[in-house]
Amino acid sequence: MTTRLNGATPDVSEKRVIGNVLRGSIGNLIEWYDWYAYAAFTTYFAKSFFPTSDTTAAFLGTAAVFAVGFLMRPLGGWMLGRFADRFGRRSALVLSVTLMAGGSLLIAVTPSYRTIGIAAPILLLTARLIQGLSVGGEYSTSATYLSEVATPGKRGFYSSFQYVTLYGGQLLALGLQLVLQALLTEQQLTAWGWRIAFGVGTIAALTVMWLRRGMDESESYRREAGETKGERGTLRALAKYPKEIALVVGLTLGGTVGFYTFATYSQKFLENTAHIPRRQVTVVLFCAILVAATLQPLAGRLSDRIGRRPLLLFFGIGGTLLTVPLMTVMGSTRNPVGAFFLVLAGLVIVAGYTSINAIVKAELFPTKIRALGVGLPYALTVAIFGGTAELIAQALKSAGHEPVFFWYVAGCVLVSLIVYGTMRETSKSSELEHRPEELPQQR
């Protein structure tokens, strides 16, 4: 007799599990490529939308739009998380990538400030709001989908591919930047070349939209689709899990600030503070992120063996103690090789969070509320802390107090470290392993 669990089942072949993970991940890859193309090409298009002779001021304008885009992520986490819990993970994933295609297309075709005036930054802002809505829903649904279709005992490994593809999206953005830097002059990239990145993103997102229509629905969702439908994906149902909501916030706070500091802001930091040439910075970040991406499944698999908390504690302790020294030395280095190892060190520390954050959050909630439970509190925390990290950094630099930002990052990680030290080991009490009839009715 085969025992079915609330997720992948023993009678589902490993080959099919891998196929589902790959199909779920490729869309995530393109979604994050589109999201990070903005960060990667900011240095080229900043003055097209915010014309100024002060580079820091132009970066501050695009950073503000970057941060505002994050404000839509909670709305996306709520809308698409609710949609995924009520109508299926596959349908929500198709919808999220469609929204991303629209946002990328709008950025690609929006004229510069010199051509249409104030309408240019307004359209840029509109595009980022659409993309923020998309990413807010993408995270919750893909985290839920990958966790549910994974083989029991290997959930940490398979769900880690969410951040493999997240890093992969950033690598694609940086890789295309390297290609365009080789093919075009600095003037051409600044004038129009950056638009190629968003055109590529639009075509890729539309392709993924078509591919996702053929994905298998999560077995967990199919099994419970007809049960308690009135409560599925509702805020009332989510409100029964206040402790789990608080855990998601605490888990995310330090992780999102640390991630965006080392994975995205470091590009501007090395260029604008360390004064390393732009093209060298692109190579440094590309190589560091490539190594970091390969670490995700290794760390995820390790969590399947030793538990999730040891990896979270590794990140919490490392991030609290080493962020300030790493950022201080990074700001004074002029050696690209040294910069590579410093950025990589930060990303290795952050891997303790990124590799398993999806599975830890998915293990907290039952199927009927999982996508919303993972997505909404996560997106709120990312919007408040992750989305503003670069804006705070640029503002402090502009005010002449840049080192304060290093302490801010370390302080955010410390808050999460306290949560990691007091939380339960989720792999031993996972809602993913409960049968539907065993799911708690009340908290």
Side-chain angles (χ1 to χ4, degrees):
M1 179 177 177
T2 301
T3 301
R4 291 181 177 271
L5 298 175
N6 190 20
T9 60
D11 57 330
V12 175
S13 70
E14 196 76 9
K15 182 178 180 180
R16 183 171 176 179
V17 170
I18 293 172
N20 284 329
V21 169
L22 288 175
R23 282 177 287 186
S25 297
I26 188 170
N28 198 49
L29 174 74
I30 300 304
E31 282 259 358
W32 288 106
Y33 162 81
D34 283 318
W35 182 255
Y36 283 118
Y38 183 97
F41 285 87
T42 290
T43 55
Y44 292 107
F45 69 74
K47 292 186 179 181
S48 293
F49 295 98
F50 301 94
T52 174
S53 58
D54 186 344
T55 300
T56 299
F59 283 172
L60 189 59
T62 52
V65 173
F66 187 77
V68 171
F70 276 81
L71 297 180
M72 289 297 284
R73 290 179 65 166
L75 182 59
W78 171 65
M79 289 178 60
L80 293 180
R82 175 182 170 84
F83 188 91
D85 284 329
R86 293 181 68 85
F87 302 106
R89 320 311 191 197
R90 179 178 59 190
S91 296
L93 288 171
V94 170
L95 178 57
S96 70
V97 79
T98 303
L99 290 170
M100 183 59 75
S104 294
L105 177 61
L106 184 56
I107 296 176
V109 301
T110 296
S112 68
Y113 186 96
R114 181 176 298 177
T115 303
I116 61 173
I118 192 64
I122 291 175
L123 287 173
L124 177 67
L125 175 61
T126 301
R128 286 301 285 180
L129 292 178
I130 294 172
Q131 289 187 325
L133 187 70
S134 170
V135 169
E138 173 70 21
Y139 174 87
S140 60
T141 311
S142 63
T144 299
Y145 183 79
L146 292 178
S147 299
E148 288 179 348
V149 301
T151 307
K154 296 182 180 179
R155 297 194 194 277
F157 172 74
Y158 283 121
S159 65
S160 71
F161 282 90
Q162 185 186 43
Y163 260 84
V164 172
T165 52
L166 189 153
Y167 276 128
Q170 192 172 5
L171 286 172
L172 285 177
L174 291 171
L176 180 58
Q177 186 178 52
L178 287 171
V179 171
L180 292 177
Q181 286 174 341
L183 297 176
L184 304 176
T185 66
E186 194 83 358
Q187 291 73 24
Q188 289 173 324
L189 269 171
T190 302
W192 54 267
W194 58 267
R195 296 181 186 274
I196 296 174
F198 296 99
V200 169
T202 301
I203 295 171
L206 290 173
T207 302
V208 168
M209 178 188 69
W210 178 77
L211 290 174
R212 278 186 164 180
R213 295 176 63 188
M215 287 171 54
D216 292 332
E217 182 56 84
S218 156
E219 185 176 345
S220 295
Y221 177 82
R222 290 201 310 269
R223 187 186 306 118
E224 295 188 37
E227 301 179 16
T228 61
K229 189 166 185 178
E231 296 185 6
R232 300 186 69 87
T234 66
L235 293 176
R236 177 180 295 181
L238 181 60
K240 296 178 182 179
Y241 299 86
K243 182 178 179 181
E244 286 76 6
I245 293 171
L247 275 173
V248 171
V249 173
L251 285 164
T252 304
L253 194 157
T256 188
V257 174
F259 172 76
Y260 280 104
T261 296
F262 289 105
T264 63
Y265 175 65
S266 60
Q267 183 180 24
K268 287 86 172 177
F269 184 68
L270 289 172
E271 180 184 334
N272 213 19
T273 297
H275 302 294
I276 296 176
R278 181 178 296 176
R279 298 193 180 198
Q280 292 183 7
V281 169
T282 303
V283 174
V284 165
L285 200 60
F286 181 90
C287 293
I289 290 175
L290 180 61
V291 176
T294 64
L295 295 176
Q296 305 306 304
L298 298 177
R301 188 68 182 115
L302 181 62
S303 79
D304 288 325
R305 299 191 177 190
I306 67 174
R308 321 298 187 206
R309 283 183 72 240
L311 272 74
L312 292 172
L313 289 170
F314 165 78
F315 160 66
I317 294 171
T320 300
L321 298 179
L322 297 178
T323 295
V324 174
L326 283 174
M327 295 297 291
T328 301
V329 176
M330 193 187 304
S332 61
T333 187
R334 300 294 181 267
N335 186 338
V337 176
F340 161 76
F341 283 109
L342 290 167
V343 174
L344 179 60
L347 293 175
V348 168
I349 293 171
V350 173
Y353 163 80
T354 56
S355 61
I356 60 171
N357 86 97
I359 185 62
V360 171
K361 293 162 190 171
E363 287 173 333
L364 295 173
F365 298 95
T367 303
K368 67 180 180 180
I369 200 67
R370 184 169 293 129
L372 182 61
V374 171
L376 182 57
Y378 167 83
L380 282 168
T381 310
V382 171
I384 295 170
F385 296 98
T388 59
E390 185 173 326
L391 181 61
I392 291 171
Q394 295 285 8
L396 286 170
K397 178 177 177 58
S398 183
H401 302 293
E402 189 171 35
V404 175
F405 176 69
F406 312 158
W407 291 98
Y408 168 76
V409 177
C412 289
V413 178
L414 176 60
V415 173
S416 286
L417 175 58
I418 295 171
V419 175
Y420 304 152
T422 56
M423 67 181 287
R424 70 180 188 269
E425 174 54 60
T426 59
S427 64
K428 298 185 184 300
S429 57
S430 173
E431 292 284 0
L432 284 163
E433 310 303 342
H434 290 172
R435 300 183 187 185
E437 62 269 22
E438 294 174 340
L439 294 177
Q441 299 302 311
Q442 303 254 17
R443 265 296 193 276

